[in-house]
Amino acid sequence: MSIIEKLSVTAVRNIEGLDFEPIPTVNILHGENGSGKTSILESIHLLASGRSFRTSKLEPLINSEQEQAVVFARLGDGKEIGLSKSRRQKHQLKFRAEKQSNWENIARELPCQILDSNSFLLLEGGPKSRRQFLDWGVFHVEHSFVENWRRTKKSIANRNLLLKHRTPDLRQIAAWDSELCLAAGEVDKAREQYFKAFLPLFLELYGKMNGAEVDSLEVDYDRGWDTDTDLADVLVDNRSIDMRYGATQSGPHRADLNFRIGRSRAVDILSRGQQKILVSTMKIAQGLLLSQALDRNCIFLVDDLPSELDRDNRTAILSQLVSMGGQIFITCVEISGILDSLVGEPKLATFHVERGTITA
Ligand SMILES: Nc1ncnc2c1ncn2[C@@H]1O[C@H](COP(=O)(O)OP(=O)(O)OP(=O)(O)O)[C@@H](O)[C@H]1O
Ligand SMILES: [Mg+2]
């Protein structure tokens, strides 16, 4: 079980110093606009993955009057994670008192998903976010994935460097092609297997949502090159195009998930609320798959759920989240909006956020 037992945040946005002990189930963070609710979720996300879900920049994350932000968590099993992000120095990340050079161990220990008002971007944005979504799931179930993906990216980067030469060295390109094909084959296999497990679970959950276009929705995994052709052949056939662009045009770095309704892209048909329902369901299905595959629950960070969702869908999404039995952090301005949408009597704790601190 991945559970945060204690969280301390210092100098993240308007949070000067905050300590709190969430419960293992539903934690509701409520308070006025600008009080710091999202910043608490952002701190958890930052600790768990190294990234904020609001900004790619470091500057706005650190409190404007401080030099460094610190986030610390003690997990249910006593393991501790500490992160400091400084304006001038490289970040410091520790897990069980050991310095970490990347987030791999922590991401495994503390799987975390965010549902917020930008969730629809997963459908509307470019393929990168959908690849990241897919790879998040693959990463947790297939341990060799990280290494194969690293090899893939390295092969593509080296190949691209060669392609940019005025007179590219074809022998060297062919050598990187072989390495790329080996690693890409493994990446594709892992993604495809994961997608096969994910799809029925997702469609089943999606069918329970109000206003879901479940009968007409089709979802495909596009591996990034022609389904009927070996990548090795594609790389040879497209070499002159790749040389013109100075970049490899086909491969697992171009993989995507395609969502279609009839002949159109789902994003061109679905309303904003319907897009959020679809994306929320995707993330819930992913959390569910994770807990089925590993003895581990995903922590869900739910920021401002009510916006653009009707009551039935709020209730459906919250019920799914609660029934998974993992730890959830939900923010809201008015607590009644969330309490109205919670069915059954899940064990919950409420925390009032005010000017960057928790007051009750
Ligand atoms: N780098 C920073 N330094 C200091 N304060 C900041 C910084 N970045 C943002 N803030 C302030 O931090 C506060 C926290 O914002 P946050 O988004 O967490 O609020 P919220 O409670 O989620 O509000 P809402 O209900 O509007 O979503 C805001 O008042 C914002 O102006
Ligand atoms: Mg907010």
Side-chain angles (χ1 to χ4, degrees), residues 37-39 54 303-304 331:
K37 305 176 299 291
T38 305
S39 305
R54 287 206 278 197
D303 196 22
D304 199 16
T331 69

Side-chain angles (χ1 to χ4, degrees), residues 166-179:
R166 195 172 292 178
T167 47
D169 181 335
L170 296 182
R171 275 185 47 205
Q172 277 198 52
I173 291 180
W176 282 113
D177 283 4
S178 308
E179 170 67 5

Side-chain angles (χ1 to χ4, degrees), residues 49 61 70-71 73 105 124 131 148-149 157 182 186 189 193 209 220 236 247 256 283 285 289 293 304 332 341 353:
S49 68
L61 268 174
V70 179
V71 188
N105 292 328
E124 197 175 278
R131 268 197 304 278
N148 287 324
W149 183 229
L182 287 175
E186 294 301 318
K189 200 163 73 188
Q193 261 178 15
M209 298 294 169
D220 300 320
V236 171
D256 199 356
K283 295 192 173 186
L289 203 54
D304 199 16
C332 57
S341 315
V353 185

Side-chain angles (χ1 to χ4, degrees), residues 11-15 30-42 54 58-66 87 303-304 331-333 353 356:
V12 173
R13 298 197 186 263
N14 69 334
I15 303 171
H30 64 106
E32 291 172 0
N33 296 132
S35 55
K37 305 176 299 291
T38 305
S39 305
I40 297 175
L41 302 192
E42 200 175 20
R54 287 206 278 197
L58 175 66
E59 213 42 40
L61 268 174
I62 302 176
N63 182 281
S64 47
E65 291 173 6
Q66 302 294 327
R87 290 188 199 280
D303 196 22
D304 199 16
T331 69
C332 57
V333 175
V353 185

